[in-house]
Amino acid sequence: MNNFTEAKNLYEQLGVHVEEALTKLNSFPVSMHCWQGDDVIGFDQGQSLSGGIQTTGHYPGKASTPQELMADIDEALKYIPGTKKLNLHASYALFEDGEHVDRDQLEPKHFKGWVEFAKARNLKLDFNPTIFSHPKAEGLTLASNDETIRTFWVDHCKACIRISEYFANELGGPVVMNIWIPDGLKDVPGSRFAPRQRYMQSLDEILSMDYDHEKVKVALESKVFGIGMESYTVGSGEMTFGYAIRHGLTPLMDNGHYHPTEMVSDKISSALLLAGELALHVTRPVRWDSDHVVLFDDETREICKEIVRCDGLDNVYLATDFFDASINRIAAWVIGLRNVQKAMLYALLEPTETVRKLQDEGDFTTLLALQEELKTMPFHEIWAEYCRRNKVEPGLAWLDSVKRYENEQLRKRGE
């Protein structure tokens, strides 16, 4: 009897169907964010970040061309098991023959190369308007009182919906298209109402266009504060969630975008009950929305447990969102994505029906004892088997390969 079989037997004694858990995990896609590979710079502006976003560190080997970024994504994908999507920002448009258009004029053709990349790897795509790091994003954007600025960003979001629908038609849907704005104020506002009113007007204009709502899931992402908007954010949790519910959109929760004492895991059940579906950006805030590499930590596990307990595998769209320029960027992808998948497997190995029954019966003694016993179950053996079935090494062997790639490719960039 091998280690996996012994571990499987122990879990099944608690009522866990291990093979069913592995099958469910293999069909649950995690959307891998492209922007870890180049520190969120993109290809359309070639300038530093702005809009409350900051990447720290100067580790060598940052991708600076589409070819380098795609090669780095390929390298990371080798070591990440399971089903994955690729999450793009509009700033990663691919221009040919010296062509360049501004963000309000983007078309599906500017992402044809990404569609070809995705098709060749059996990936689907998600998408995001890039409403930061742009001359027209130095102040307010969709909430601006300058109609020229506001219209520019409305047109950008409309263009992104058309591009998202193109992705869905080419690759199969749905495509989550997430709107996040960096709109806010550094100090105490004179009016909180007026910018939010303009933001609502902009969203109304964006959503007035004709598109297939089943193929494009427009999501709204909130934020509690950011650099340069510490006192007031237009797109607060109440603002974005309320608008999403009223208009049948998908609320998006980023677990770095709340007060440090707020847990997104506690909000998932409410969101699913009220909205029916939910998008998540999984990151790791350290005191603030600092987008550290995701760990196999308590909150990541709790987020995944809530998804499973709420029967939300078919109604939750999960993506990663972190960027660390202080370590090998490919290793950061692998560590973060594998930890999300580990957390989801950990959640699927909970005897969900049993814990529900114990709670309903008021047997909190047995519930607590069982929850504690699960913490020391031989989880690693199940994870290792999952990796092997996906032809991925379960341990740290991948790190040697990434370091070889660093020496052969990354350290030669910029020479």
Side-chain angles (χ1 to χ4, degrees):
M1 185 180 293
N2 61 30
N3 291 345
F4 168 69
T5 303
E6 291 181 3
K8 180 181 176 182
N9 289 341
L10 288 173
Y11 273 104
E12 290 184 345
Q13 288 172 23
L14 296 177
V16 177
H17 301 289
V18 173
E19 291 296 337
E20 184 180 318
L22 293 174
T23 299
K24 286 182 176 179
L25 179 60
N26 222 34
S27 62
F28 181 78
V30 178
S31 197
M32 172 179 162
H33 61 304
C34 76
W35 49 92
Q36 162 60 30
D38 76 331
D39 302 344
V40 210
I41 298 300
F43 306 129
D44 70 340
Q45 295 291 318
Q47 59 187 37
S48 60
L49 287 172
S50 66
I53 299 173
Q54 182 174 317
T55 301
T56 53
H58 302 283
Y59 202 88
K62 177 179 71 174
S64 58
T65 68
Q67 293 74 26
E68 288 178 350
L69 182 59
M70 289 177 181
D72 292 353
I73 290 170
D74 271 339
E75 183 67 15
L77 289 172
K78 292 179 186 177
Y79 315 113
I80 303 168
T83 304
K84 297 162 289 287
K85 300 175 78 176
L86 182 63
N87 200 5
L88 296 175
H89 251 284
S91 54
Y92 290 84
L94 305 177
F95 300 113
E96 297 180 358
D97 302 323
E99 178 199 18
H100 183 273
V101 300
D102 213 339
R103 292 180 186 170
D104 62 332
Q105 300 297 316
L106 287 171
E107 298 179 48
K109 68 178 182 179
H110 300 123
F111 295 86
K112 182 182 178 183
W114 284 112
V115 167
E116 292 171 350
F117 178 87
K119 281 182 178 179
R121 292 150 183 82
N122 196 29
L123 297 170
K124 291 182 171 61
L125 296 172
D126 290 323
F127 202 50
N128 307 261
T130 306
I131 311 178
F132 55 84
S133 297
H134 188 280
K136 288 185 170 68
E138 292 179 358
L140 301 183
T141 62
L142 289 177
S144 177
N145 61 356
D146 183 330
E147 281 300 303
T148 303
I149 298 292
R150 197 178 65 79
T151 299
F152 175 88
W153 292 113
V154 167
D155 289 343
H156 173 57
C157 290
K158 287 181 175 181
C160 290
I161 289 178
R162 287 189 287 269
I163 293 163
S164 298
E165 197 163 33
Y166 161 68
F167 290 165
N169 289 333
E170 290 289 324
L171 302 168
V175 173
V176 178
M177 197 213 78
N178 175 51
I179 297 174
W180 172 77
I181 58 171
D183 292 22
L185 296 172
K186 182 175 179 66
D187 219 325
V188 182
S191 170
R192 291 177 173 86
F193 185 87
R196 286 178 175 149
Q197 187 176 44
R198 292 191 294 268
Y199 182 35
M200 285 183 61
Q201 181 184 345
S202 294
L203 292 173
D204 289 345
E205 292 174 19
I206 293 164
L207 297 170
S208 68
M209 68 180 290
D210 184 37
Y211 70 96
D212 190 325
H213 291 236
E214 293 303 312
K215 292 180 178 178
V216 181
K217 300 288 185 178
V218 176
L220 290 185
E221 181 178 3
S222 66
K223 192 161 186 173
V224 66
F225 88 100
I227 297 172
M229 46 180 176
E230 292 86 355
S231 296
Y232 167 67
T233 52
V234 177
S236 64
E238 297 83 358
M239 180 71 203
T240 57
F241 191 82
Y243 189 95
I245 295 295
R246 177 184 287 184
H247 295 274
L249 306 182
T250 304
L252 189 145
M253 296 182 181
D254 181 310
N255 63 299
H257 285 196
Y258 293 85
H259 189 277
T261 61
E262 288 185 279
M263 298 289 108
V264 161
S265 56
D266 186 54
K267 303 175 188 293
I268 290 172
S269 57
S270 299
L272 287 174
L273 283 166
L274 293 168
E277 62 183 19
L278 173 67
L280 293 172
H281 278 184
V282 181
T283 185
R284 178 167 55 103
V286 178
R287 296 187 174 86
W288 69 290
D289 180 32
S290 47
D291 291 295
H292 286 63
V293 178
V294 175
L295 301 183
F296 184 60
D297 57 12
D298 289 345
E299 177 61 358
T300 307
R301 291 196 298 272
E302 203 63 29
I303 285 171
C304 291
K305 283 195 283 187
E306 278 300 300
I307 294 171
V308 173
R309 290 169 179 171
C310 295
D311 295 323
L313 290 172
D314 295 328
N315 304 101
V316 172
Y317 307 102
L318 191 151
T320 50
D321 183 4
F322 54 81
F323 30 94
D324 191 340
S326 69
I327 63 175
N328 182 296
R329 294 169 182 82
I330 297 168
W333 260 322
V334 177
I335 294 165
L337 269 292
R338 283 170 70 122
N339 278 333
V340 170
Q341 291 174 324
K342 286 178 185 176
M344 185 55 70
L345 178 59
Y346 190 89
L348 288 164
L349 291 173
E350 180 182 76
T352 306
E353 292 303 320
T354 300
V355 298
R356 285 176 182 163
K357 185 171 182 287
L358 290 170
Q359 178 172 313
D360 289 344
E361 293 174 349
D363 188 352
F364 297 107
T365 302
T366 305
L367 176 60
L368 180 60
L370 176 59
Q371 288 173 325
E372 290 304 297
E373 185 66 19
L374 286 166
K375 292 178 180 178
T376 54
M377 289 289 285
F379 164 78
H380 179 264
E381 300 304 332
I382 310 298
W383 167 253
E385 177 67 13
Y386 179 71
C387 288
R388 285 191 289 267
R389 292 185 186 186
N390 280 278
K391 298 180 173 53
V392 169
E393 286 289 336
L396 282 174
W398 62 268
L399 188 56
D400 289 336
S401 299
V402 169
K403 287 184 175 179
R404 259 195 315 274
Y405 182 84
E406 177 182 321
N407 290 329
E408 294 170 2
Q409 300 292 334
L410 303 184
R411 290 189 177 272
K412 295 179 181 178
R413 291 176 182 172
E415 290 183 354

